[in-house]
Structures are given as structure tokens and as C-alpha cells.
Amino acid sequence: MSRLPRDEALIRTPDRRLRVFVSSTLGELAEERRAASRAVSALRLTPVMFEAGARPYPPAEVYRAYLAQADVFIGLYWQRYGQLVPGSHISGLEEEFDLSGGLPRLLYVKAPAPDREPRLADLLARIKEESSASYRSFRTPAELGRLVRDDLAVLLSERFAAAGRAATAAPAGARAVATAPAGARSSGRLPVSTTSLLGRERAVDEVAELIERPGVRLVTLTGPGGVGKTRLAVAVGERLRDRFGAGTVLVPLDSVTDPGLVLAAIGRAAGTDLARTGAPVEALAEMFGDGAWLLILDNLEQVIQAAVGLGELLARCPGMAMLATSRTVLGLRAEREYPVPPLPLPADPAAVPLPDVESWPAVALFVDRARAVRPGFALTEGNAAAVAEICRRLEGLPLAIELAAARTRLLDPTALLARLAASLDALGTGAVDLPERQRTLRATVDWSVGLLEDAERSLLEVAAVFADGWTIQAAAEVAGLAEDRALELSEALARHSLVYLDATELGPRSRMLETIRGFVAERLADRPDADQVARRHADFHRALAEQADRPLRGADQGEWLERLDAEAGNLAAAMRWYLVHDPGPLPHLFRVLWLFWALRDLEREARSWVEQLLPAFGTLDAQAGAELAWAAAAIAIDTGDDAAALAACQRLTPLLAGIGDPFLHAVSRLALAWTRPITGDFDGALREVAVCLEEFRGQDELIFTAMAAYTAGSLETALGRYDDALGHLREACDLAERAGDDWLNASPRVQLGILAVLRGNLDEARALLAEALGLSLAARSTAVVTLCLSGYAWLAFAEGDPERAARLEGAAEGLRRRVGQRAWPHLRRVEADLVAQVRQRLGAGRFDQVFSVGGRLTQREAVAIVRDQG
């Protein structure tokens, strides 16, 4: 029996995450089903589990529909074969397996099974004989949970890695390309437009053919703003989806102004975390490998200096191609330019039949967009000349034509032409250094803005202060309006095609095309209240950050990370405003936002803000000075700058006695504990962390208590105090479980695994390290993956295989080196002890040889060695 087509599935779970169907008999494996469900949910996937009586549908219809929309199949088997499907000779259990043929399968069989029913035994024998599936054995629900979590993490890393974050939001079968609402600018997603792409069929063919030519790795679509470069690039990406099997990733760069952050933006769009990496090219090359990827880099002209890094990334990833949009070429030798022309202009309508006029792409675009706002609109003998002249005056620029067509809601083409002609003539003397078409587009935008009511125009100008979209609440606060009025005016602006609504998981979000925003920003700058608007914008996002302080440190961290992620551009704009106009709030904001920056690969930009404020350190009071010094220390540790971390702690230490905020006092102690091992003072570090841990426990600080406990356990392990370390590391694991943080959950498990090796409990160590590796792969954290490799190196050495230990330790060091990381100071001694012991066992020459070989391994190759070991 074949699976139902996806578009015919009758039942859908409400989320858009990857769905994992769990098949089993219900009664005998109830506890195991719960363990599998928890493991699936822990990876931020959706478990799809049929329960008898849970839905008012016949059972077979329900699980068939569930399977039709599933992305991964998990089968759990023990002794029972299950009831036969009415009208069939097989059970639902066997039918579910047969229906899963098109899905990745993970199968698990519980042992022992002394009373296994013959028909189940036959099914398992058939499964074992088929080359398409195999299964693993387990004994307890806990063991099953670990296996499921581990195997799913590997499956996602290897089979679905191309999708990154976008895959968790997309329907099955979408590969790395997820869909988003028309006009969406979400990183990694190809927007699905609700309007047709007219007049670009030839361009799509030509660009697609160019990219597919042997040796062509980089194509840049050039042209003026508004010519349609982005729409063309997205259409080409859709055309080539099957050609680039690893994935197609859209990287919007319209809000990126620092060329040094372009590679980090690529990482975020592709779903990899470059936090604490000093060499993002290495990290991206490690992630993309030699897979067939297409990167669509949109709006590169403002960060053109990033071209060198992009060229290096291309050189390191032989299967990758790039499609860039820019107003200028990048200047790389590998680059092929494709100038995007305006839409072909119509001939004189008086000289050709009406159907021929309507077939011209520019006119067809105008008519199509006019019908969107005025359904009865049609090209006639009476208005064809006016429409053709409008398209000629706008020189075939799609954005200008769409803006003009939107005005047909109120104006006929003849009146529209008269208004447009007057506006264009008025702005005919625009800046001479702008391209002519850009001057025409500016005139079109000016004319379109001129049709607004005063209140609509005012809100549009205020909206130009937002860096990457805004909510209705934000617009109301910054514009000084009631929310209902802001909503009303925003809807009017959307009708005028000057803003558009982007439906996000966090709710609707208004956005403005950058071309329009840049022009309107000039109008805002000329207003007498421009400074007040900028202050209200900064104050609104300051309040948002301060509101996130407590949730970021607790179990609601995930929700608030998403909210802050949506406002990253606006938060950065607020930081820059405060640096210039009112730096007083910044130390507190730096302390609050550190976790967000650390988990979203934003610390490089944040570090520049902190460094700009450090010269004013001596003018700050004890509270602000401590927050600034703490943020400087934490960011320096994350980015591997030991000297900067020590300097920050030298500023922080004299302030401890005057800190009245209990949390700030505790977290300052933690920063000192993190940095003291740099100078070898492990005992001092342990004293500091003991003090801060006790303070945290009295404050209900979930995340930071876990960090402190993990730090204490790591230090105690380094000092040989194994019993104390065991207690602290277990406490860290428990707290991290409550927080639901994979990165924080994995780290203490690695240390527990190393501790188990040091205490001679190798089976326990193997289970802990396997669990930690699954978590670190799920979190896509190179830092924790390298910790796991070091843990497995300890295990290999204890099992009498020093060469494997040297190779894995070399792999860990090589991965860190390539992405610009170092082990955290409090972890370095234990790792150094292992290296010394392995070197002594193998001899210096042999150790260096094997270590060097390991240093060249990719992450996947290193993990494969670990799998063999396990």
C-alpha cells in the first residue's frame, strides 16, 4: 500500500516542525513510547503518536494520515504483533512499517523477548533481510531514549543538515528550501510570492543555464534598486532546487552594514552556530563541506568588502555555487556578471494591436498589479496609451511599476499619468551622482508618498527608524500613537504598497522595502522631531531587552531568544544610538544581552560596542562599572582573548564589595572563576565558584546556577576531587534538563563521562559520552562536539588504544583551530593531562604523527571514529 500524497493528508499536527512518527503496539510498550516521545521533543521535533480513542476517526485512517505527513519513521517492537486491520491480513503495526517505505527509518527491538509472537518474529526477519532497513536492540526505556536521541541527531546532521533551521519549519520534502509568506525576509528561506513573476522567463533561463555551466561558481545579478534582482534570484533558486541537493539558502544582507559580519549571516541562514569562532570561513567550510549548496546572497552592495571572504569560502567548498544580488560587481576572478535589465518597454500603442501592447512584460506587470487592487481593471483602447506611457516613464523598473499600478485603486491611468508626470518633473533635478533609473525610482516613491494622508505619511517616516521590521506595538510606541490607530494606518500603508506584512511564528510583522526605507529615512531626518523618534526607538528596544532579563536566565529562555532574534537589527541600532547620545544604560544592557549574543553568534559585533565604552569605565558607578567589566570578561572568554579577559577581571575585582545586586555579585564571582585558570590558579577559581554557586542557589537562577555547578565540577575534576565533582556535575545536568538547553545539557555530561573514565567506570562513561554527543550534534555546537571528542579520547586511552586517543584529541584540536576557538580555561588542564599521558605512551614522534593526522579530520570523520569506538 502506498503512502497518501502529502496534499491529501487529512490530519495535520498544528506545528510546522519535522514530524517523527512513532509506531508500536500500545499496551506493552507504553513506557518506551513515552521515552521515545521525550527524546524526539528534546531535539525540537514533533512526535506523532497514534493513540487508540484519541481521535474521532477510524484508527487505520488516522495512522495512515499521520504517516502521509511524517518526515521520519521510528518503529518500536517487542513481543506483540498487534491486531489485524479490518479487511486486511496484516496488523496495523506491519502496515505502518510498509507505509513508511519513503521515509528515513529508525527501528528498535526490545530484548529479551521470550514470548514473541510468530508473526512479529516473521516481520522482524523480513526487516533484517531487507537492505533498506535494519534495527538496534535495547533493554530499558532509558536506553531507548538515549538511542533515539542520538540516532535522530545524527540523522538530522547527515540527512537533513541542508535544511538547517529552515527545515524544522518546512513541510516534508522541502529539503533545505522552506517556504515563507510573500515578501518574507527570513534567513534561509526562499519567499513564496503570491504574485506572478512577469517578463523574466528568459532571464531565469539564462541565469540558471549560466550557473549550471562547468566552472561557473559565482554569478552576480547587478542593476539599480527596484529592478527585480531579488525576485529573479529567488526564481532561479527555485528552478535549481534539484541541481543543488544539499540545499539552497537565502541570505538577506539588507540590514548588515559591517562586511565582517557577512559570513556570520551566512552561518545563521544555514543554521550553524559560529559563536565564539575567530575564523568563520573555517567554520562554514566545515559545515558546508563538499556538498552541492547554492547560496543566494541578497543585497551585497553595502558590504562589498566581504568579497574576499566569500571567495575563500568558494575555494574551500568545491560543490558550492553562489548567486549574489548587488548594484555593483564583487570584483572576484571567479565572478560572472549578469546585468538585470528593466522589463522590455512597450512599442507605440497606436502602431500595434491592443493584444500586442498587453503582451509587453512591463504592461503585463502593470495590468496584473492593477487588477490586484482593482479587480475589474482591464487594458482598453482608451487607456492603453496612458499605461504604456507610464511604463516608459518608469523605464521598466518593476518596483516603480508596481507602486504606480497600486494607485489605480483611486485613479484611472490617464489621471495617474498626469500625477506621475508632475511628480517626475518636480524631481527631475535629483542628485546627479545617482543612476538615472534610481532618480526615477526616487521620484516614483516621492510621488507615491505624496498621495498619503498626513497621518499615514508621518507613520511611514517614523517606520524608517526600524532596522529590520517592526510590530504594531513598536510602531505605536515610537510614533506616539494608540495601537488601534497604528494598526489602522499600517493597513493603509500596506494598501499603498509601501509596507508589507510578514507572517512570522511570533505574529505579524511589518516591513518596508529597503529602497523605500532609504528614501523615507531622508524625510525623517528633515523632521524637527527626528531626534525624539530615534530616542523612542532606542528606549522601546531597551525596555524589550530589560524585560528579557529574567526569562533569558530561566526555563523561558527559548521563547525570548526567538523574540530578541526577530529584533536583532533594531537592538543593534539602539546600542549604536545609546553609544552616541546616552551611554548610561549600556552596561546593564550589555550584561542582560550577553546570553542572547552568545547563543546567536553576535558577540563579535557586541564586543566592538563594549570596547567603545571601556574608556569611560572610570566614570561609572560601582553597579554600572561591574556590569561593563563583567560583559567585557564574558565576551573575551567566549572569543578566546585571554589577555582581554584578565584585564576585564582586574577592573571587576575592586568593585565586588560595592555591588548591591545579588545576581550581579554572584555572576561577577563566576567571571573571576572562569578567568583564574588562565594564570594557573585553579584553587582560587574553585573558591570563587563556590561562593557564587552558594549565592546563585538562593536566587532561583536556573541557567547561571547550572553554569556555576558545571564550572565547579570541571575545576574539581582538574584538581582530582572526583567525589565533589560528581555532585556538582550531576546538579548541572539536572538544572540544564529543566532549562531545556542542549548546549548546557551536553557539557556537564562530557565531564561526567571523563570523570567516569578516571574512576574506571568505562561502561558508564560510554553511555554518558554518547548522550552528550547526541546533544551537541543537535545543538550544532562545535565547541561541545570537540569536548566530546576529548572525552572519547580519554575513553580510548583507558581501553588501551593510545593511537585512537591521539587521533581524536588531534581532531578536537584541529576543529577548534580551524574555527578560531580554544578550550575554556577551566577545561584545559584535564585535556593537557591526557595529551601528556598519550604522548608518553606512544613516544613523541609517533604521537605527533597521529595527532597531526587527527587534526586534518572533518567533524563527520571524527564522529565516525567515535561511532566505531562505541
Side-chain angles (χ1 to χ4, degrees), residues 173 179 240 265 352 355 359 367 393 619 629 637 694 719 761 813 832 867:
T179 60
L240 297 176
V352 296
S359 69
V367 172
R393 282 184 176 269
T619 67
I637 292 168
E694 193 61 33
L719 292 169
N761 301 324
E813 184 61 27
R867 300 292 188 216

Side-chain angles (χ1 to χ4, degrees), residues 683-763:
D683 289 321
L686 191 56
R687 287 193 296 272
E688 294 288 0
V689 81
V691 172
C692 79
L693 185 56
E694 193 61 33
E695 294 179 10
F696 279 138
R697 286 175 178 148
Q699 298 177 42
D700 189 27
E701 289 290 345
L702 189 62
I703 298 293
F704 278 91
T705 307
M707 288 185 182
Y710 167 59
T711 304
S714 301
L715 291 167
E716 287 159 343
T717 301
L719 292 169
R721 303 176 187 179
Y722 297 159
D723 290 340
D724 294 336
L726 184 64
H728 283 132
L729 293 173
R730 284 177 174 172
E731 179 184 3
C733 286
D734 291 342
L735 292 168
E737 283 278 0
R738 288 169 53 192
D741 189 310
D742 285 338
W743 178 87
L744 193 57
N745 212 342
S747 299
R749 280 173 168 73
V750 173
Q751 294 303 304
L752 282 171
I754 293 174
L755 188 60
V757 170
L758 295 172
R759 295 165 69 98
N761 301 324
L762 301 190
D763 289 340

Side-chain angles (χ1 to χ4, degrees), residues 139-466:
R139 290 179 177 272
T140 67
E143 181 184 6
L144 174 66
R146 288 194 298 270
L147 290 174
V148 169
R149 193 168 193 166
D150 198 1
D151 292 345
L152 270 177
V154 173
L155 176 65
L156 292 175
S157 178
E158 296 181 352
R159 182 158 185 158
F160 296 114
R165 291 183 182 133
T168 63
R175 289 192 187 91
V177 180
T179 60
R185 302 291 292 138
S186 302
S187 294
R189 301 179 177 185
L190 290 187
V192 176
S193 179
T194 58
T195 58
S196 54
L197 180 63
L198 298 172
R200 295 300 191 194
E201 296 81 6
R202 179 178 177 180
V204 172
D205 291 339
E206 290 176 344
V207 176
E209 179 184 356
L210 183 60
I211 294 175
E212 291 187 303
R213 289 181 188 174
V216 175
R217 305 281 308 286
L218 169 62
V219 175
T220 301
L221 307 182
T222 60
V227 79
K229 301 184 291 294
T230 299
R231 290 286 305 278
L232 175 58
V234 170
V236 172
E238 285 288 349
R239 170 74 63 84
L240 297 176
R241 284 177 61 177
D242 293 334
R243 162 70 175 77
F244 292 92
T248 299
V249 180
L250 174 64
V251 186
L253 298 169
D254 43 7
S255 62
V256 178
T257 57
D258 182 354
L261 299 177
V262 169
L263 296 177
I266 293 173
R268 288 194 297 275
T272 191
D273 182 11
L274 302 186
R276 296 174 295 279
T277 64
V281 170
E282 297 284 358
L284 289 175
E286 185 72 30
M287 196 282 276
F288 289 119
D290 57 0
W293 290 87
L294 176 63
L295 300 190
I296 301 178
L297 308 172
D298 192 29
N299 286 302
L300 259 174
E301 60 270 3
Q302 61 193 353
V303 284
I304 206 75
Q305 296 86 348
V308 174
L310 297 176
E312 186 177 352
L313 181 60
L314 275 175
R316 291 172 178 269
C317 300
M320 175 185 290
M322 292 181 184
L323 177 59
T325 73
S326 176
R327 297 180 189 180
T328 61
V329 295
L330 307 185
L332 294 174
R333 286 183 298 172
E335 184 180 24
R336 299 291 296 272
E337 181 185 7
Y338 184 92
V340 180
L343 293 175
L345 296 170
D348 183 1
V352 296
L354 183 63
D356 291 343
V357 175
E358 191 169 12
S359 69
W360 283 91
V363 173
L365 176 63
F366 183 96
V367 172
D368 180 78
R369 301 307 189 258
R371 285 173 177 164
V373 298
R374 189 173 171 179
F377 182 85
L379 196 70
T380 66
E381 297 287 351
N383 65 23
V387 171
E389 183 60 23
I390 289 170
C391 292
R392 271 201 294 264
R393 282 184 176 269
L394 299 178
E395 301 186 58
L397 290 173
L399 174 59
I401 292 171
E402 293 190 19
L403 288 170
R407 304 284 71 80
T408 58
R409 184 193 307 274
L410 301 175
L411 298 173
D412 289 327
T414 302
L416 182 62
L417 177 60
R419 295 285 298 272
L420 176 61
S423 179
L424 288 173
D425 290 343
L427 289 179
T429 57
V432 296
D433 60 340
L434 289 172
E436 184 176 350
R437 293 188 183 95
Q438 182 67 19
R439 286 158 49 187
T440 301
L441 182 58
R442 287 169 59 86
T444 303
V445 175
D446 181 50
W447 160 79
S448 185
V449 172
L451 294 178
L452 299 174
E453 298 291 336
D454 288 344
E456 297 167 352
R457 186 181 306 110
S458 178
L459 180 60
L460 181 68
E461 291 167 352
V462 168
V465 77
F466 291 96

Side-chain angles (χ1 to χ4, degrees), residues 91-102:
S91 70
L93 190 73
E94 184 164 357
E95 185 183 28
E96 287 173 351
F97 174 80
D98 292 339
L99 289 172
S100 70

